[in-house]
């Protein structure tokens, strides 16, 4: 198969982790006779520095005509001036919106070998295997706002949702839950927020159309607690944008490190294979504190590449091959520093990538 993959390496550790994922995809392409054409485009802080715009038109056009997009991370202290007209994060939110990527799928699975890397007790982590679906193109991230200038007295963001925006992401979540354990948890703050009361009402109506599902509604503050108290009792969780942002950082600690968790952002635009044009990225940020040192964990991005193969290219066997190669490396006790523990062999970013490639070719 021929596939066009746009790579948005971005800032901080973005370039180093995406280059490992590319390496893995290239090796996989050779093994399974696929040709992946990588098209590197600018987005984020690097795009501000190079062309003066965090999301150049050329990048949006390239993404629209791609089969899938692989993204590293954006942002860093260099672009943190609160008065700046453009910010790296604007590029990321802009591409999510431009491609209508309304469902952000974040699987949280704990690798048995990494239990000791988590700060939580082993018995709490037993059996954790969930998917958080975060609404990605609505809510406070995109609602009307007033920015505080230097002299401004007030500023606000608006958590705005429409019925169709809520309905479509709930349907995505319902389909995913049906394909798994049929348990769906919808998270809101309906005891306080109007947008959450709409969310709850729409959820109650829409999910009634899926009688096979076992549905529960949980308030977001309680969910933050349950996630670390008994995480194994959840399977598919669906929530609005900001709540999902916060809960998935929390959930990443179940897996030991943010460096382990991939994500897929899917919408309704189909690619040349009639599959969703998706954007795949690790859930971690640009980690400017460790950028350029070659110690970042590329596994979240490599696992994002596996999700890309599965959801946008329909290559299930190839996706599973990457996931197995990652498992095999972890089973040997090899770790990047973020998940290292006593007895593990600590390696840097490129060696971790090489080892995954090696395992892929040995399968
Ligand atoms: C994420 C990140 C982004 C977000 C930032 C970088 C804008 O935290 O993907 O979770 O808040 O969505
Ligand atoms: Mg986040």
């Amino acid at each position: 198969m021929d596939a066009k993959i746009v790579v948005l390496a971005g800032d901080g550790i973005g370039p180093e982790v995406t280059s490992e994922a590319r390496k893995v995809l290239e090796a996989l392409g050779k093994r399974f006779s696929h040709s992946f054409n990588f098209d590197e485009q600018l987005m984020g802080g690097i795009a501000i520095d190079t062309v003066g715009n965090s999301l150049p038109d050329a990048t949006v056009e390239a993404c629209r005509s791609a089969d899938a997009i692989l993204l590293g991370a954006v942002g860093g202290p260099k672009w943190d001036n609160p008065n700046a007209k453009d910010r790296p994060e604007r590029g990321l939110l802009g591409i999510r919106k431009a491609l209508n990527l309304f469902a952000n799928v974040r699987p949280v699975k704990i690798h048995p070998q990494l239990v000791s890397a988590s700060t939580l007790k082993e018995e709490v982590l037993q059996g954790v295997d969930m998917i958080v679906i975060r609404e990605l193109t609505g809510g406070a991230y995109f609602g009307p706002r007033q920015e505080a200038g230097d002299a401004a007295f007030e500023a606000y963001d608006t958590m705005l949702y429409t019925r169709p925006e809520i309905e479509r992401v709930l349907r995505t979540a319902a389909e995913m839950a049906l394909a798994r354990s049929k348990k769906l948890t919808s998270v809101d703050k309906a005891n306080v927020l109007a947008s959450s009361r709409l969310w709850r009402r729409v959820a109650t109506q829409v999910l009634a159309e899926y009688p096979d599902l076992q549905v529960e509604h949980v308030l977001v503050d309680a969910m933050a607690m349950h996630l670390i108290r008994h995480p194994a009792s959840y399977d598919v969780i669906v929530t609005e944008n900001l709540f999902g942002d916060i809960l998935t950082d929390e959930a990443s600690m179940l897996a030991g490190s943010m460096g382990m968790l991939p994500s897929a952002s899917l919408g309704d635009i189909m690619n040349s294979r009639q599959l969703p044009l998706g954007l795949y990225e690790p859930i971690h940020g640009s980690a400017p504190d460790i950028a350029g040192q070659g110690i970042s964990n590329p596994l979240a991005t490599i696992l994002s590449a596996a999700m890309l193969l599965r959801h946008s290219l329909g290559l299930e066997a190839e996706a599973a091959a990457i996931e197995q190669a990652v498992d095999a490396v972890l089973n040997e006790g090899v770790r990047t520093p973020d998940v290292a523990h006593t007895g593990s062999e600590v390696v840097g970013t490129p060696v971790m990538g090489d080892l995954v490639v090696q395992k892929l070719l040995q399968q």
Side-chain angles (χ1 to χ4, degrees), residues 106 134 141 245-246 248-249 258 283:
R106 299 186 163 186
R134 165 187 175 194
Y141 276 56
D245 180 44
I246 298 168
T248 51
D249 266 24
M258 292 184 78
I283 84 148

Side-chain angles (χ1 to χ4, degrees), residues 251-308:
S252 74
M253 285 300 104
L254 303 170
S257 164
M258 292 184 78
M260 293 302 302
L261 292 195
S263 85
S265 302
L266 307 170
D268 48 12
I269 301 180
M270 295 295 140
N271 63 19
S272 68
R273 324 201 61 77
Q274 295 313 311
L275 288 167
L277 165 62
L279 182 145
Y280 301 84
E281 56 177 313
I283 84 148
H284 61 68
S286 61
D289 51 326
I290 59 161
Q293 296 178 33
I295 58 167
S296 60
N297 187 346
L299 294 180
T301 316
I302 291 172
L303 292 169
S304 300
M307 291 188 88
L308 180 157

Side-chain angles (χ1 to χ4, degrees), residues 128-361:
V128 168
D129 179 3
M130 66 177 94
I131 292 185
V132 184
I133 298 170
R134 165 187 175 194
E135 199 291 326
L136 203 58
T137 51
Y141 276 56
F142 294 95
R145 70 179 48 174
Q146 180 175 293
E147 200 76 51
D150 277 341
F153 170 70
E154 60 174 18
Y156 57 77
D157 302 282
T158 316
M159 193 181 275
L160 173 84
Y161 270 104
T162 64
R163 200 169 256 277
E165 280 175 324
I166 299 171
E167 182 168 341
R168 64 186 179 182
V169 73
L170 284 166
R171 288 196 188 280
T172 304
E175 297 298 335
M176 290 210 175
L178 282 178
R180 288 172 54 102
S181 76
K182 302 188 170 51
K183 250 191 85 183
L184 178 61
T185 306
S186 173
V187 177
D188 61 42
K189 185 69 185 170
N191 55 344
V192 177
L193 301 175
S195 57
S196 276
R197 280 190 283 274
L198 178 65
W199 181 283
R200 178 82 63 113
R201 195 175 307 146
V202 174
T204 307
Q205 286 164 359
V206 169
L207 298 175
E209 294 174 31
Y210 301 83
D212 291 343
L213 283 185
Q214 187 192 329
V215 177
E216 71 174 330
H217 301 273
V218 180
L219 297 173
V220 64
D221 47 350
M223 192 66 214
M225 173 191 66
H226 294 316
L227 256 187
I228 48 171
R229 197 164 77 155
H230 47 83
S233 42
Y234 297 96
D235 190 51
V236 179
I237 297 170
V238 60
T239 190
E240 70 87 40
N241 202 345
L242 180 61
F243 298 163
D245 180 44
I246 298 168
L247 291 179
T248 51
D249 266 24
E250 185 190 5
S252 74
M253 285 300 104
L254 303 170
S257 164
M258 292 184 78
M260 293 302 302
L261 292 195
S263 85
S265 302
L266 307 170
D268 48 12
I269 301 180
M270 295 295 140
N271 63 19
S272 68
R273 324 201 61 77
Q274 295 313 311
L275 288 167
L277 165 62
L279 182 145
Y280 301 84
E281 56 177 313
I283 84 148
H284 61 68
S286 61
D289 51 326
I290 59 161
Q293 296 178 33
I295 58 167
S296 60
N297 187 346
L299 294 180
T301 316
I302 291 172
L303 292 169
S304 300
M307 291 188 88
L308 180 157
L309 297 172
R310 176 173 292 126
H311 296 290
S312 285
L313 303 182
L315 300 175
E316 175 57 39
E318 289 83 340
I322 293 186
E323 289 162 351
Q324 279 159 24
V326 168
D327 279 350
V329 174
L330 292 173
N331 285 341
E332 288 188 349
V334 185
R335 308 277 184 271
T336 43
D338 56 316
V339 281
H341 51 82
T342 21
S344 60
E345 181 195 336
V346 182
V347 299
T349 317
V351 174
M352 185 51 101
D354 289 343
L355 290 171
V356 174
V357 167
Q358 205 183 81
K359 292 289 174 201
L360 252 186
L361 301 179

